[in-house]
Amino acid sequence: MNDLEKYFNNNDGRYMDKWEHYFEIYDRHFSRFRGTKVNVMEIGVFHGGSLQMWKDYFGPKAKIFGIDINPECKGFEEENIEILIGSQADPGFLLEVTEKIPKIDILIDDGGHLMSEQIITFEELFDHIKPNGVYLCEDLHTSYWSEFGGGYRNPDSFIEFSKGLIDQLNAFHSVEKTLKINDFTKSANSIHYYDSVLVIEKKDRKRPLKIFSNVERNYQPAESKKPKKIEFRQNQPASGKVPISVVIPAFNGERFIGDAIKSVQAQTLKVDEIIVVDNNSTDRSREIALKLGARVIRQPKQGTPAARNMGIRVSRNNWIALLDQDDIWEKDKIEYQWEAMQLFPAARLIGCHVEMLSELTGERTVWRYG
């Protein structure tokens, strides 16, 4: 029996009612805030009993905010408990709330339980929860009750609304344009479903990175007991840039090469040099590359592999990034790959996903590696 259950069973304060299994859920997600300077908001004051329970549970540093539509609930205010009167279904009122009170650590929606109320509350207040904070909505069984606007698989129910959040949580991995990364993707760390309860724990997130353990030992040839030492050139890049040389073979690519070079220059993490190896183009490819500041090497037409090898030979860095003249990079490609290099210093090859775009149809195809 946790402290919340003990308080409830020995309550000599104001009236409250709870489903028995809720206490374990509360304690699991809220216990890390105990004894801290925590801001807690509960929607649905009723008789004020649960506000007193939160005050006791979180300790004297906690500030408890209650929201209720009934003006009489204002009378339940006491030290460290403040009650705001208004409707959770009113976006204007909720906006006023966010302007009046500080960011909150915990939001508990135990209000009217109508579908519209729960959805509006989430949409208006989720961003007002601090990073590393917790959102909890309880009594989700009303999503299955028609009198509350719910019903099994009713697209307007809060349960169905919340299922879309699962997709958004995983949007970093989507290859379809219809599922895009949004603020929820970047701020929600986990979603937990329980009987009648939804919990979302927040955390600032970047695109997930797949990592590997013990790469050197497991990828050595059977006859080799120690990893082979690879000698790298020791030239260091200019300050503020990563030691990567980008090699772009070119032949009559004036239509594309400018966009390719610009996509490198637009990287969130800048590279040391861009080398364009021109296979004796007869168009403006060389002129465009020079104008954009690339280092241009000209040679007789020998094909793309020979051009790449030439670029690698004249480069001044250990790491080489290959880019074709008719390809472009996402702006954070180098940033993510550089992070992988730091995590795996033994790595000698780092790849990424490739997205193919048809000029004629606009259709996109994604090739995935790993």
Side-chain angles (χ1 to χ4, degrees), residues 46-66:
F46 199 29
H47 291 281
S50 60
L51 298 182
Q52 290 183 322
M53 180 178 71
W54 299 131
K55 177 181 174 180
D56 179 84
Y57 178 73
F58 290 109
K61 296 180 183 178
K63 177 69 175 181
I64 313 298
F65 298 93

Side-chain angles (χ1 to χ4, degrees), residues 81-266:
I81 295 179
E82 179 179 348
I83 296 174
L84 308 168
I85 303 301
S87 172
Q88 70 175 122
D90 180 358
F93 166 71
L94 296 180
L95 177 61
E96 291 177 2
V97 169
T98 62
E99 294 172 346
K100 182 177 181 179
I101 70 171
K103 290 273 190 175
I104 54 179
D105 298 280
I106 297 172
L107 172 62
I108 304 163
D109 186 350
D110 186 23
H113 310 310
L114 295 175
M115 303 302 99
S116 58
E117 293 174 331
Q118 292 173 334
I119 292 172
I120 290 172
T121 297
F122 176 85
E123 292 177 335
E124 298 299 326
L125 294 184
F126 186 78
D127 288 344
H128 199 62
I129 302 172
K130 296 178 186 178
N132 300 314
V134 178
Y135 164 88
L136 184 147
C137 185
E138 59 187 65
D139 293 352
L140 296 189
H141 43 264
T142 60
S143 280
Y144 302 95
W145 296 352
S146 59
E147 60 266 36
F148 284 81
Y152 178 58
R153 294 293 172 88
N154 182 339
D156 296 324
S157 72
F158 183 75
I159 279 287
E160 293 302 314
F161 170 84
S162 70
K163 290 175 183 177
L165 299 177
I166 300 174
D167 295 326
Q168 288 303 152
L169 182 70
N170 292 282
F172 279 122
H173 307 284
S174 174
V175 298
E176 299 177 31
K177 293 180 68 176
T178 51
L179 179 56
K180 297 180 179 180
I181 297 167
N182 62 11
D183 289 341
F184 182 84
T185 311
K186 294 183 285 187
S187 66
N189 187 52
S190 60
I191 300 176
H192 307 258
Y193 282 93
Y194 303 91
D195 180 347
S196 301
V197 177
L198 169 66
V199 180
I200 302 174
E201 296 202 341
K202 297 187 71 173
K203 179 182 179 182
D204 288 337
R205 292 200 304 147
K206 293 183 178 180
R207 186 182 297 273
L209 178 65
K210 185 177 183 180
I211 62 177
F212 303 86
S213 174
N214 214 356
V215 175
E216 286 191 352
R217 186 174 71 183
N218 287 292
Y219 283 89
Q220 293 304 310
E223 66 274 10
S224 173
K225 294 183 179 180
K226 294 183 178 181
K228 295 180 180 179
K229 185 177 180 181
I230 298 178
E231 296 294 338
F232 279 169
R233 294 185 295 276
Q234 299 303 312
N235 299 39
Q236 295 301 313
S239 177
K241 297 180 180 180
V242 291
I244 296 175
S245 297
V246 179
V247 174
I248 307 175
F251 177 71
N252 290 348
E254 64 177 13
R255 183 179 170 194
F256 307 106
I257 196 164
D259 288 337
I261 295 171
K262 288 176 183 177
S263 77
V264 178
Q265 295 171 332

Side-chain angles (χ1 to χ4, degrees), residues 74 210 232 253 255 304 306 316 323 330 343:
K74 192 73 173 173
K210 185 177 183 180
F232 279 169
R255 183 179 170 194
T304 299
R316 60 177 179 239
L323 176 63
E330 294 284 356
L343 288 171

Side-chain angles (χ1 to χ4, degrees), residues 233 247 275 307-316 320 322:
R233 294 185 295 276
V247 174
I275 302 170
R308 286 178 178 148
N309 288 335
M310 172 60 75
I312 293 169
R313 280 197 297 271
V314 302
S315 66
R316 60 177 179 239
I320 308 297
L322 301 177

